């Protein structure tokens, strides 16, 4: 069984920074892409950033230049450094990972989310 657990959310003023972390644990053979999604109140879940197993990042346009995604493969962890936060970044942020389990099957896993609130 595989679990993703996010941490690092909270309340911050506009212009501030937060760093989200997500640790994958359980019966993991290997982890392919990892990423962060977010869902604001009344809106659909949207992609924020992804990072390949080799470390290549991809960002949605609204966060380019402000957010940085990174990963530590030795720790099965993905990070999201968020700078210059705006009120419109307020959302629940979800970690996602495409993981090959000990049974060698790949599956898509999600964390339960961490709330980020940016005040104006």
């Amino acid at each position: 069984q595989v679990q993703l657990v996010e941490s690092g959310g909270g309340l911050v003023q506009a212009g501030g920074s937060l760093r989200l972390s997500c640790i994958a644990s359980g019966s993991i053979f290997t982890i392919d892409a990892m990423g962060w999604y977010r869902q604001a109140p009344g809106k659909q879940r949207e992609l924020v950033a992804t990072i390949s197993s080799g470390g290549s990042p991809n960002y949605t346009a609204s966060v380019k230049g402000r957010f940085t995604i990174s990963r530590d493969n030795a720790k099965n962890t993905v990070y999201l450094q968020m700078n210059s936060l705006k009120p419109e970044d307020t959302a629940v942020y979800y970690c996602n990972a495409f993981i090959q389990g000990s049974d060698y099957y790949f599956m898509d896993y999600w964390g339960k989310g961490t709330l980020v609130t940016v005040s104006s």
Side-chain angles (χ1 to χ4, degrees):
Q1 196 167 359
V2 174
Q3 283 188 321
L4 300 182
V5 179
E6 304 100 333
S7 62
L11 174 64
V12 64
Q13 288 189 333
S17 298
L18 282 175
R19 188 192 195 210
L20 306 183
S21 300
C22 171
I23 300 175
S25 63
S27 302
I28 297 171
F29 184 71
T30 189
I31 301 178
D32 197 345
M34 304 183 82
W36 291 93
Y37 291 71
R38 66 186 179 187
Q39 187 166 17
K43 295 188 177 181
Q44 289 188 331
R45 190 174 297 189
E46 64 171 356
L47 170 71
V48 176
T50 61
I51 186 166
S52 69
S53 57
S56 297
N58 179 56
Y59 302 95
T60 193
S62 62
V63 308
K64 278 183 181 178
R66 300 188 298 123
F67 291 9
T68 302
I69 189 170
S70 60
R71 64 190 286 173
D72 184 332
N73 291 332
K75 296 181 179 179
N76 289 344
T77 300
V78 62
Y79 305 97
L80 186 68
Q81 178 66 43
M82 304 185 294
N83 299 328
S84 302
L85 282 161
K86 304 175 181 180
E88 51 263 44
D89 295 318
T90 295
V92 177
Y93 283 71
Y94 296 92
C95 176
N96 171 263
F98 195 48
I99 296 175
Q100 185 179 27
S102 55
D103 58 1
Y104 302 111
Y105 285 98
F106 276 95
M107 283 186 63
D108 215 22
Y109 291 92
W110 292 88
K112 293 183 178 180
T114 185
L115 177 62
V116 172
T117 303
V118 184
S119 63
S120 58

